[in-house]
Amino acid sequence: GGIITQTPKFLIGQEGQKLTLKCQQNFNHDTMYWYRQDSGKGLRLIYYSITENDLQKGDLSEGYDASREKKSSFSLTVTSAQKNEMAVFLCASSINWGASQNTLYFGAGTRLSVL
Amino acid sequence: GDSVTQTEGQVTVSESKSLIINCTYSATSIGYPNLFWYVRYPGEGLQLLLKVITAGQKGSSRGFEATYNKEATSFHLQKASVQESDSAVYYCALSDASSGSWQLIFGSGTQLTVMP
């Protein structure tokens, strides 16, 4: 088995601040993902990385940057936090990108609040 | 584009009663999408409950079942007798290879509360 660790669990920021969320996985999976979840809505894909050194934009990439520093880690940066923004950010990984029936494994999430 | 619809945001059921959580989908694939149910138990990360990749087939896990109905474009989640430990948020999802993207599209989730 493996685990996905997201840090921090809670993140409080100020309007306009740059904020970074981190994710580590020990599954040795090739592909990693960042999703955003707003209350009452489904998960929306922000960025994904098919393999180390790769970055792909999802449907919600505007306002975010991402970095795949190494195979096991994938960071997400909120480039300018929006006032009153509240959301949960979920990191996930899958064995690879090659099959649409792959299972995704998720971390517990980072809950963001912007004052 | 592809979409997944879960009409109930919250469902409350008494222990030992039957359950159905509705899910319908729309996909642009010329084939058929893969369908999934993910679940998040309190304090835990989202995890796969079951998946079905062939139209007409049924998936099952932990007493839950879901049948891939391509005519109705539905993938409803059912359980004959729920337990308090089934209280969680359930997400229906699909992946569609039509655009070569493979990404998962999620519904908005259904919060299940099982009353003792």
Side-chain angles (χ1 to χ4, degrees):
Chain A
I3 191 168
I4 294 184
T5 303
Q6 291 187 238
T7 55
K9 285 187 169 53
F10 299 95
L11 183 56
I12 299 175
Q14 303 286 334
E15 184 181 11
Q17 193 176 3
K18 180 186 284 189
L19 303 167
T20 298
L21 293 69
K22 293 188 179 294
C23 176
Q24 297 267 349
Q25 54 100 357
N26 64 0
F27 287 99
N28 199 34
H29 285 168
D30 281 343
T31 305
M32 296 185 73
Y33 311 77
W34 276 106
Y35 284 89
R36 173 181 167 129
Q37 183 175 30
D38 293 277
S39 179
K41 295 185 179 179
L43 283 67
R44 292 181 289 172
L45 186 63
I46 306 172
Y47 266 96
Y48 62 102
S49 169
I50 294 174
T51 189
E52 189 176 350
N53 296 319
D54 174 76
L55 283 178
Q56 304 287 337
K57 292 183 178 182
D59 294 336
L60 207 63
S61 61
E62 188 171 338
Y64 301 94
D65 287 328
S67 173
R68 183 83 182 268
E69 299 92 359
K70 50 187 177 181
K71 187 174 183 179
S72 62
S73 66
F74 193 31
S75 299
L76 181 73
T77 298
V78 180
T79 56
S80 178
Q82 301 297 304
K83 188 174 175 62
N84 296 324
E85 181 176 5
M86 287 182 63
V88 177
F89 292 84
L90 297 176
C91 177
S93 71
S94 65
I95 194 166
N96 56 40
W97 184 246
S100 58
Q101 65 264 40
N102 280 347
T103 297
L104 265 61
Y105 296 84
F106 285 84
T110 293
R111 187 174 296 274
L112 170 67
S113 297
V114 181
L115 304 177
Chain B
D2 299 342
S3 65
V4 176
T5 301
Q6 293 178 244
T7 52
E8 306 110 337
Q10 296 193 46
V11 172
T12 300
V13 181
S14 297
E15 199 166 25
S16 79
K17 297 298 185 185
S18 63
L19 167 74
I20 182 165
I21 297 177
N22 293 312
C23 171
T24 56
Y25 66 88
S26 172
T28 57
S29 175
I30 58 174
Y32 298 107
N34 303 307
L35 299 176
F36 306 79
W37 278 100
Y38 280 79
V39 58
R40 183 168 63 218
Y41 296 103
E44 299 183 19
L46 200 59
Q47 57 188 277
L48 180 69
L49 178 62
L50 57 86
K51 65 181 176 184
V52 180
I53 63 174
T54 304
Q57 298 211 344
K58 179 164 58 179
S60 60
S61 175
R62 305 182 201 179
F64 288 89
E65 293 182 340
T67 299
Y68 188 153
N69 186 329
K70 62 181 174 66
E71 288 82 16
T73 62
S74 69
F75 192 54
H76 305 320
L77 184 67
Q78 301 184 70
K79 190 171 187 182
S81 175
V82 296
Q83 302 168 357
E84 215 174 329
S85 58
D86 293 325
S87 295
V89 184
Y90 293 82
Y91 294 89
C92 186
L94 71 81
S95 65
D96 179 3
S98 61
S99 63
S101 174
W102 307 114
Q103 65 172 282
L104 269 181
I105 306 297
F106 285 87
S108 55
T110 298
Q111 169 77 59
L112 171 66
T113 302
V114 179
M115 305 296 289

